[in-house]
Amino acid sequence: MAWYDETNFYHIYPLGLCGAPKENKYDGIEHNIRKLDPWIDHVKDLGCNGIYIGPLFESVGHGYETTDYKKLDSRLGDNDDLKAFVKKCHDKDIKVVFDGVFNHTGRDFFAFKDLKANKENSRYKDWYCNVNFWGNNEYNDGFSYDNWGGYNLLVKLNQWNGEVRDYICDVIRFWVKEFDIDGIRLDAADVLDFEFMKCLRNLANEVKEDFWLMGEVIHGDYTRWVNNDTLHAVTNYVMHKALYSGHNDHNYFEIAHTQKRLNDMAQNNPLRLRLYNFVDNHDVERIYNKLNNKAHLILVHILLYTLPGVPSIYYGSEFAIEGKKERGSDDSLRPALNLDDFKDYINTNELTKSIKKLGEARKQSKALNYGFYRELLLTNRQYAYARTLNADSQYYNGVPEDEKKYENAIVTLNNDDNPATLNVPADGFEKYKGVLSGKEIVANSGNLCVNLEANSGDVWLPII
């Protein structure tokens, strides 16, 4: 167990949230990152205790075409600004994870600039993949090379090169020493070399206790990436898709089936397969736009906070803002926001209030962090499951028998436009209280009778 097992994350895309210029002209420093200061208290009030922020370092545009790994993007500020931000987060007991863009660099990165200038004679020609001096590209470099996603703006690093590995490890050591970060989200981890990730895992074990490596992975057997040799966690894209389409189609079987697949990967042990759960992020459209019925917003977030894994809220989505890809641009997914425009939401907006309550519930209930998943009831429109922490849990490894506690949480959901009644096992507890409703229910003959309004749900924790 580590800090990240009990963390509710808040995801910030800083160039967008801070309203930084779209293009870096390298002509001075703008201290835009200081605009994030009031957001730190908001993150805390929302029940989040971790921030994933990035990209942060000098680049020419959207941030993923890095030109200097050791310098805060000048559109955001300087390194002292970034140090101050991390310290303010730590002072509020909030962990901070940076975006690590190590699969590729921008064309203004020193090694690529040397390659452009010196061609075959560049000492950095082997820092990049498949550099071909018989080829060319749209920049008329006089050579071609591998890239990410078909974009020659993103030049693929040769992770098999020892100098490249040493350089990236030096960058990470610098980030830990300079900024005191707690982990890294590895961009494009699904195309990173596994030996390179093993190298990063060894480094993570060296630089800081419980230093977290989380990878961006879309599909596949997640245990290929999450294990004792490579990463601690990956992005749960398969559940991300199921969460909105399962509601749009009134099909809880899709969500339950997806969870069963993940359970099989994890051998029903949340600590064997750690997952980073999300409903939207800087690359996909906002959950508000993806749901046909906006009344399902709270249901989706109940699932986000109670299925195995750690939840992440993408900035602004707690306020149900819109964000849709337009004309091939992600700009509307990454808007500048003024927190003053939402200052009363945490008390008056039902979604924001619910997310806060769910965050506090995860802090209160060890079962929601470490408990085994067990399906209790499933139809197209109703779904119930338990998260149970018992003596067999890895959480209790090495703990004396008399100190082990049996804990439970029951989740009930109704995506129908009509009320529903669900009967589920009480799992040995006599009384439960709803996290969202505040209602109390008493077991009858070992079962709970849960009445749900249309398009509603709740998380039930035992009253002991």
Side-chain angles (χ1 to χ4, degrees), residues 375-387:
E375 186 180 295
L376 302 179
L377 180 151
L378 180 62
T379 69
N380 281 326
R381 299 179 182 236
Q382 287 82 41
Y383 182 24
Y385 54 90
R387 297 290 308 280

Side-chain angles (χ1 to χ4, degrees), residues 292-346:
N292 296 335
N293 185 345
K294 309 313 177 190
H296 291 162
L297 277 167
I298 291 177
L299 291 173
V300 165
H301 283 87
I302 291 173
L303 288 155
L304 172 68
Y305 272 82
T306 59
L307 287 171
V310 298
S312 175
I313 299 294
Y314 182 46
Y315 82 93
S317 285
E318 71 272 30
F319 308 131
I321 69 169
E322 296 190 47
K324 193 173 180 65
K325 289 178 181 278
E326 296 172 322
R327 298 180 295 279
S329 172
D330 291 331
D331 286 351
S332 66
L333 311 179
R334 308 166 178 182
L337 296 181
N338 186 335
L339 192 55
D340 287 342
D341 294 337
F342 308 96
K343 61 183 177 182
D344 295 325
Y345 274 51
I346 210 155

